[in-house]
Amino acid sequence: MDLSFDGVRVERDGRLVLDIPSLRVHGGRTTAILGPNGSGKTTLLRLIAGLERARAGKVSMRGDIAYVFQEDVFLKQSVRDNLELGLHLRGVDKAETRVRVEEAASLLGITHLMDRRADHLSGGEGRRVSLARALCLRAPLVLLDEPLEGLDERTYSRLLDELPHLLSALNATTLLVTHNRHEALRLAQDLVVLVDGRVHAAGDKRDVATNPRAIEVAEVLGYSVIVIDGRTVAVPAGALKLGPGQLQFSMVVDDVFDVVDSREIGGRIGDVRVHVALSGTDETPRPGDRVPVHAERFCDLS
């Protein structure tokens, strides 16, 4: 199911929260809405779901919606009751409800939780139940608001590995809100970069991520934006190396980090904070040293 925004403006308390003249989301794909906190990402989902109203413009779509909120919202009943509720409200018969619930529970690995109180689950268990509830609905449009936020590292890593398969099983148009670029690039095919309520880039994730074109987009994607001799360049994470090179900078070292299996220096190029990983043969600078570094890869934003 395709989704489109035309002339959409949302204001709250006199402040412009969203301003989207035009945006198209392609059906049957996962699109990540990526941006910093406060950029309007959740408002965009709430607008689609009808929980928020636009002052102007229109959101065009067809069909039911499944919404996985940032915080788990459950009835004080069993997991099974929570999974069945949405299906009952949609008039799905008991036999079909049973099939869908069992299928979703098996896929999410929560069969053993079905008789537990849903509001007594751990964070990771709750996330799985919320995703299973969305899967049960078989809606053509699925909205996921920070689905991995607040999980412990082990649960986060496990669900991050499993989510691509689960999103494929939804067989839907999926919008995934996140402020984490690694999640966005791992889980989505398309990328929308939202900053201060405005879309600064949209399209295939590889095109957006490898050619940011604008400072706002580069910063959200983890590039270091550096001005040198009047030229603005964006250097991707990990592309700065110690020593001279074709595109060279002078870095003032502030910190040296020993993370056991590698070494890293942190410091400043002008007023831009950067980190540079050291190779096994690099001598370790000291805080206060000024050292040459170069960019192995970069985008010209001038």
Side-chain angles (χ1 to χ4, degrees), residues 75-276:
L75 298 176
K76 296 180 179 180
Q77 297 177 16
S78 71
V79 168
R80 185 182 304 278
D81 291 335
N82 275 269
L83 296 186
E84 291 178 346
L85 177 62
L87 298 174
H88 292 332
L89 293 175
R90 283 167 168 77
V92 178
D93 64 52
K94 290 184 178 181
E96 176 67 12
T97 293
R98 183 167 57 252
V99 169
R100 291 195 194 184
V101 167
E102 290 176 356
E103 180 185 84
S106 176
L107 189 62
L108 271 299
I110 60 169
T111 303
H112 64 293
L113 300 174
M114 298 300 282
D115 295 324
R116 289 260 303 273
R117 273 271 298 268
D119 57 328
H120 290 174
L121 300 173
S122 69
E125 291 168 342
R127 288 285 81 188
R128 289 180 180 276
V129 171
S130 289
L131 290 166
R133 183 167 55 188
L135 186 64
C136 285
L137 297 178
R138 298 183 183 175
L141 178 60
V142 178
L143 310 178
L144 304 177
D145 191 357
E146 301 276 8
L148 302 179
E149 185 71 9
L151 299 177
D152 63 80
E153 185 174 354
R154 181 181 178 185
T155 304
Y156 174 89
S157 297
R158 184 177 298 170
L159 272 177
L160 185 61
D161 284 342
E162 295 174 359
L163 261 179
H165 174 61
L166 298 175
L167 295 178
S168 176
L170 289 171
N171 192 30
T173 302
T174 303
L175 267 69
L176 164 75
V177 154
T178 181
H179 63 270
N180 186 314
R181 68 181 184 277
H182 299 295
E183 288 179 17
L185 298 178
R186 174 81 71 90
L187 299 175
Q189 290 88 49
D190 296 326
L191 195 59
V192 173
V193 177
L194 193 67
V195 180
D196 294 331
R198 293 176 170 84
V199 174
H200 289 262
D204 177 86
K205 68 176 178 183
R206 183 168 293 277
D207 293 339
V208 173
T210 58
N211 190 11
R213 295 189 179 92
I215 291 174
E216 295 87 352
V217 178
E219 290 177 339
V220 167
L221 290 168
Y223 286 73
S224 296
V225 178
I226 304 168
V227 178
I228 179 170
D229 298 328
R231 180 185 181 191
T232 303
V233 296
V235 182
L240 284 174
K241 303 297 179 183
L242 190 65
Q246 182 178 2
L247 183 63
Q248 183 174 315
F249 310 97
S250 178
M251 173 183 175
V252 176
V253 178
D254 292 330
D255 306 287
V256 178
F257 304 101
D258 178 0
V259 290
V260 180
D261 57 347
S262 64
R263 294 169 299 145
E264 184 178 285
I265 55 175
R268 292 164 286 117
I269 298 174
D271 59 356
V272 179
R273 177 75 177 178
V274 297
H275 287 256
V276 178

Side-chain angles (χ1 to χ4, degrees), residues 4-12 16-22 43 47 52-60:
S4 65
F5 297 75
D6 294 286
V8 170
R9 291 173 62 87
V10 176
E11 294 183 5
R12 189 180 298 125
L16 186 63
V17 178
L18 280 180
D19 183 8
I20 306 177
S22 179
T43 299
L47 184 65
E52 194 99 19
R53 288 189 176 183
R55 178 175 180 179
K58 183 174 72 171
V59 179
S60 300

